[in-house]
Amino acid sequence: DARVTQTPRHKVTEMGQEVTMRCQPILGHNTVFWYRQTMMQGLELLAYFRNRAPLDDSGMPKDRFSAEMPDATLATLKIQPSEPRDSAVYFCASGLVRTGGAEQYFGPGTRLTVT
Amino acid sequence: SQKIEQNSEALNIQEGKTATLTCNYTNYSPAYLQWYRQDPGRGPVFLLLIRENEKEKRKERLKVTFDTTLKQSLFHITASQPADSATYLCALDMRSDYKLSFGAGTTVTVRA
């Protein structure tokens, strides 16, 4: 049963520290998404990649967030420096985009707490 | 501005009844609409996708309708069970390279 995996599942860090979250998409999927979920804002798209190329990162703060996909099996989301307002659950999702739409498969999320 | 609204944050129903959830949108012309289920502490799980030229889609006890004139989708859970208790999210694709915009979700609680 293919799944999206994310590490770590939980992360507690102090303000100013660097945080790196990792995602392994489902093999064969050509699109990878990064989302952030909070009670106030709901589920927000931060960035996404198609065939490893970044397509849109307009949803994330450019000065502190960066997203990369060094190879087809790994996507990373980095926050440097982290701030308390970054506390949220970060989800990675992957999908096989084709004509007519594409469902997304979400990982279990990384719960980030910045103190 | 673009907006997606899901009816009431919470819906409580008796087991065996039909739950009906609403997703309304403004200033969108989505190519298709999706529904996801999210359980506490877990990522959303895809349930159904309906395209703009489709009126209705079914999957087991789930039914989705899509009215592009009313700018509304209805999501029905028939013969509801306590295991259906979860938050249900609607998501719209804006013809912009398959990006999804999500509603805030409706939490359904099915009482035994």
Side-chain angles (χ1 to χ4, degrees), chain B residues 31-66:
Chain B
Y32 56 88
L33 185 148
Q34 302 183 25
W35 284 88
Y36 288 77
R37 167 183 173 141
Q38 187 172 22
D39 291 281
R42 294 178 176 267
V45 175
F46 170 78
L47 295 175
L48 283 165
L49 180 155
I50 186 165
R51 298 179 177 81
E52 59 181 337
N53 61 348
E54 297 175 319
K55 295 294 184 185
E56 183 179 298
K57 194 74 94 54
R58 291 175 184 262
K59 178 183 176 183
E60 297 174 351
R61 295 182 295 106
L62 306 179
K63 184 178 84 170
V64 173
T65 63
F66 193 10

Side-chain angles (χ1 to χ4, degrees), chain A:
Chain A
D1 190 20
R3 298 185 184 192
V4 175
T5 58
Q6 290 185 247
T7 57
R9 294 293 312 277
H10 302 272
K11 177 72 176 179
V12 180
T13 191
E14 291 183 348
M15 183 174 63
Q17 297 298 305
E18 177 179 300
V19 176
T20 298
M21 291 169 269
R22 294 177 173 81
C23 166
Q24 181 172 4
I26 293 173
L27 188 65
H29 282 185
N30 60 0
T31 308
V32 175
F33 306 84
W34 281 106
Y35 292 90
R36 174 171 63 186
Q37 187 173 41
T38 61
M39 289 295 292
M40 291 298 295
Q41 299 297 327
L43 201 56
E44 304 174 283
L45 179 67
L46 297 176
Y48 74 113
F49 297 80
R50 174 77 39 74
N51 297 319
R52 294 177 54 202
L55 288 188
D56 188 346
D57 61 2
S58 60
M60 65 184 193
K62 300 287 191 305
D63 57 338
R64 299 185 300 107
F65 284 58
S66 62
E68 296 181 345
M69 200 160 176
D71 63 62
T73 65
L74 177 65
T76 62
L77 179 66
K78 187 176 295 186
I79 308 174
Q80 167 63 23
S82 58
E83 297 180 1
R85 59 178 167 156
D86 301 329
S87 296
V89 181
Y90 291 81
F91 289 105
C92 173
S94 71
L96 179 60
V97 170
R98 55 189 179 276
T99 302
E103 60 268 29
Q104 297 183 16
Y105 295 83
F106 284 74
T110 294
R111 182 174 295 276
L112 174 65
T113 302
V114 184
T115 61

